Amino acid sequence: MKKMLVPACFILFGFFMIIVVLHLSPVGDPRLPSYAGYINPQTAVENIPKTGQSAALYYNKNAVSDSNAMSAICAMILDYRGYDTLYEATVLFTAIICVLSVLGFDSGKGFSISEYRKLSINVSDISRRMVPFILLFGIYIILHGHLSAGGGFQGGVVIGAGFIIYAIVFGREKALHYVPEDVIKVTNSLGTSIYAAIGLLGIIFGYNFLANKVAGIPPIGQPGVLLSAGTLFGINIGIGMNVSSTMIRLFFAFKYEEKEEVSC
């Protein structure tokens, strides 16, 4: 009886999930409360932008005029809801502090994989050629976060992944030769500090914390230009520094095994 209970629960749960999915509104339905707010169901679709009162509708209509950000998502997470993203960056910083507190602040002096295992020449050659482009692509994503899909989080992950690939293939010492560990530590702290400092500019000018247009630093230039979104440009850079350095430090925090302990 007990053996049949768990499968029966899964089947029942799956059945109810299917029922719920079948009753969901179509993707992109303009009448959804998350987009148009609570309106009369008889309202014509073309009139929803005029009568809707939801935050999502406001973001879509005013992202460019308020922040010069071509990406409404960037304007939402870095300006309209800048507090949320600042807390997320703080969580990343807190996470790396906790991990290093448990594992020790030493990044580990163990041997990297490439020091005791001969890698294929194809792996090393391809990695050497691809990593610079991976890092460059990550920087591009960060700097163009307010113009397209992307930003500090996505670009920071790409940069961190590129650096980790290099460290796995060529070893810890070679990787830290290009980006010393002290630089990674400073970058990790500086990224969150940049975000908070930009928010403080709004208070200094007598406006709101983490505002953009009303912080005394209005967006300058034509929307779609690189330097045209006010504080969003700098915030993306700070987030990218925080995310990339957090990934790298977490990677090095988990020490490699000593050479004699590894069985190949």
Side-chain angles (χ1 to χ4, degrees), residues 241-257:
M241 294 169 62
N242 177 264
V243 173
S244 60
S245 58
T246 296
M247 287 188 60
I248 295 169
R249 294 194 72 188
L250 284 175
F251 172 75
F252 283 130
F254 294 95
K255 301 179 181 180
Y256 290 114
E257 294 179 312

Side-chain angles (χ1 to χ4, degrees), residues 94-116:
T94 305
I96 186 64
I97 294 298
C98 293
V99 170
L100 294 179
S101 298
V102 173
L103 300 180
F105 284 89
D106 179 20
S107 292
K109 303 299 182 181
F111 293 89
S112 66
I113 295 175
S114 61
E115 291 174 347
Y116 58 80

